[in-house]
Amino acid sequence: WDPVENASLVPWMTLVALGHVLLIFQARGRSLWSAFILAIATFFFILYSTFLTRSGILGNSSVHAFTDLGMSGQLLVYMLFFLVLAVVLLFLRRKEIPTVQEEEHLSSREFWMFIGILVLVLGSLQITFTTSLPVINKVFGTKLAPPADVLDHYNRWQVPVGILVCLLMGFAQFLRYKYNENAAISKSLARPFLISASLTLGVSFIVGDLRIHYYVLLFASLFAAVANAEFLLVRMKGRFAKSGSTIAHIGIGLILLGALISNAKKEVISKNVKSIDLGKDFPNNENIMIEEKSDTLPMGNYYVTYAGKEKEGVNIYYNIDYFSVNERTGVKEKAFRLRPLVQLNERMGNVAEPATKHFLSKDIYTHVTYAEMESKEGDTTEYLPAKEHQVAIGDTFFTSNSYVILNGLNKNLEKEKYHLEDGDVAVAAQLTVEDLNMSKHTVEPIFLIRDLSIFTQTAAIDELGLMFEFSKIDPQSGKLTINVSEKKSNKKDFIILKAIIFPGINILWIGCLLMIIGTIMAVRQRLQTEKAV
């Protein structure tokens, strides 16, 4: 329910409503006023979506919205111009639009189609109102708060819309225009109803515990698909060429069914296993931090590594290798690679795009929630802020590429070598540094008191990109404070990932295909009918 995605959904809902109003007008010669109003509303909402996206007004509430590009005034004029133009033209030609006073019968197809149209319009208005809260606050100076839980807020409103639309798609297909016998309708719907109820009971055991209205949506989506399949096979006798709308309705039922099952059973498999708190923006129970080419971390039934990134144009691809354990040998074997990306965009802001691995029964969705965008080039001589270590003689501490031992103190320093003056009190910390290749290095940072002032002389190991400073001595505890600065080039590249398994998502994809195919078939059939006339 991202605001920009909402702005794309609303014109689709009003366009679907418009298409059904036109069917009513074609069959019964009525509701042309409604058709014109919905046509104007659809185009207006397309322009309004552009305004929301490009004006920057949703910049703080949507990851997809542009920042303010200085176009708000032009977009507002553009939108209002076409709205006023459409209303003026509709008013000027109002006498040419026929009106029918006769009321539809309660059992007629057109009556229930109009109820479905009304449900779609109300649903689209609710989405528009909530999405437009930043606009309302800015225009009217109000302080309406957006919903705290966006997902729950929209679902409370839109799940009933989905339920009503599915039920209407299921039984309205069996109705004729003008009038229908109730007994005939009941007989036609009895078998789809019983099949849908049985399937609902079976699927309920799979999806587990849900809120009651989700069970109702489960039945309604199954009923939409089953009833339209019954209509196709029994009433239409399998004549697919003339069944475009029926196939599209089956597709919409499956879309809602797939969305419900996959979200009810989805599993977030990315759990942070490092002893690092990723912060409130990246909850540890939903995100995992992986360092490049050094980590192989468990994630669900898999193990994952970050194999590096590649820049292609404005896109940076992050190579994530998934491994599964061979049950026979116990060896981790590469299963597949996913390449989520981040698109660089200075005007809009960087946009992350997920990568998905498709299986027959599930999808694995992988999304980069955080990544360092800065290049390391040119950072070879620059150091990161120092880290402080308080250690006693014999203690060990770690850097990113080595571990360090404090062996002792050297109080006999050569004056010429370290540029010491008479009266200086100087002592060096004797450090042994062992890198990942087991090579040892020695270094002696100096703590110096001169004229009652404290000075330090740093010591560096260039090949390891480390700089040491002996900054303090605590006489009571006997501990020294050693500050270690590391070159930026030492810093390992890492990313934070979120990975989700969506079981049953292929039901949704099949539904999408059927909806598209059915819509194309229905349009083609209408065009052929017009040519024949």
Side-chain angles (χ1 to χ4, degrees), residues 147-205:
D149 187 339
V150 175
L151 186 64
D152 183 66
H153 171 80
Y154 279 107
N155 285 349
R156 282 203 316 269
W157 285 91
Q158 296 303 317
V159 167
V161 170
I163 291 170
L164 291 172
V165 168
C166 283
L167 293 175
L168 290 167
M169 285 193 305
F171 83 87
Q173 196 81 319
F174 291 88
L175 303 179
R176 297 190 303 271
Y177 288 104
K178 293 186 180 181
Y179 178 77
N180 292 270
E181 293 287 346
N182 291 333
I185 299 172
S186 300
K187 183 178 179 181
S188 299
L189 295 175
R191 184 162 55 184
F193 180 88
L194 292 174
I195 294 173
S196 302
S198 301
L199 289 173
T200 301
L201 187 62
V203 176
S204 297
F205 286 106

Side-chain angles (χ1 to χ4, degrees), residues 56-90:
I57 202 162
L58 297 181
N60 295 326
S61 57
S62 172
V63 297
H64 300 307
F66 284 72
T67 55
D68 189 357
L69 303 177
M71 300 169 58
S72 302
Q74 298 96 312
L75 289 170
L76 193 61
V77 171
Y78 179 64
M79 178 175 61
L80 293 177
F81 170 78
F82 282 102
L83 177 62
V84 171
L85 176 64
V87 171
V88 168
L89 289 174
L90 186 63

Side-chain angles (χ1 to χ4, degrees), residues 132-255:
S132 301
L133 285 178
V135 181
I136 295 170
N137 288 337
K138 191 168 185 178
V139 172
F140 297 102
T142 56
K143 295 182 179 180
L144 298 174
D149 187 339
V150 175
L151 186 64
D152 183 66
H153 171 80
Y154 279 107
N155 285 349
R156 282 203 316 269
W157 285 91
Q158 296 303 317
V159 167
V161 170
I163 291 170
L164 291 172
V165 168
C166 283
L167 293 175
L168 290 167
M169 285 193 305
F171 83 87
Q173 196 81 319
F174 291 88
L175 303 179
R176 297 190 303 271
Y177 288 104
K178 293 186 180 181
Y179 178 77
N180 292 270
E181 293 287 346
N182 291 333
I185 299 172
S186 300
K187 183 178 179 181
S188 299
L189 295 175
R191 184 162 55 184
F193 180 88
L194 292 174
I195 294 173
S196 302
S198 301
L199 289 173
T200 301
L201 187 62
V203 176
S204 297
F205 286 106
I206 298 174
V207 298
D209 188 30
L210 297 174
R211 296 181 185 178
I212 185 64
H213 57 282
Y214 288 120
Y215 287 119
V216 179
L217 177 62
L218 176 61
F219 168 79
S221 59
L222 283 167
F223 179 70
V226 171
N228 278 277
E230 167 94 1
F231 185 84
L232 174 62
L233 297 174
V234 177
R235 288 286 185 92
M236 299 296 293
K237 302 187 186 308
R239 291 177 291 175
F240 288 94
K242 296 184 178 181
S243 304
S245 61
T246 305
I247 294 172
H249 289 165
I250 294 173
I252 294 172
L254 293 179
I255 287 173

Side-chain angles (χ1 to χ4, degrees), residues 8 58 90 107 128 148 207 221 249 285 292 333 345 358 360 421-422 455 492 499 519 521 530:
S8 302
L58 297 181
L90 186 63
S107 67
T128 301
V207 298
S221 59
H249 289 165
N285 62 341
E292 182 182 6
E333 299 177 350
N345 192 316
H358 301 287
L360 187 61
E421 300 177 1
D422 292 338
F455 300 91
K492 293 182 180 179
T519 302
M521 290 172 61
E530 290 295 325

Side-chain angles (χ1 to χ4, degrees), residues 32-33 35-38 40 84-97:
L32 193 56
W33 269 101
F36 277 117
I37 292 170
L38 284 171
I40 293 170
V84 171
L85 176 64
V87 171
V88 168
L89 289 174
L90 186 63
F91 176 78
L92 293 176
R93 304 190 66 177
R94 65 191 184 281
K95 295 181 180 179
E96 300 176 39
I97 302 173

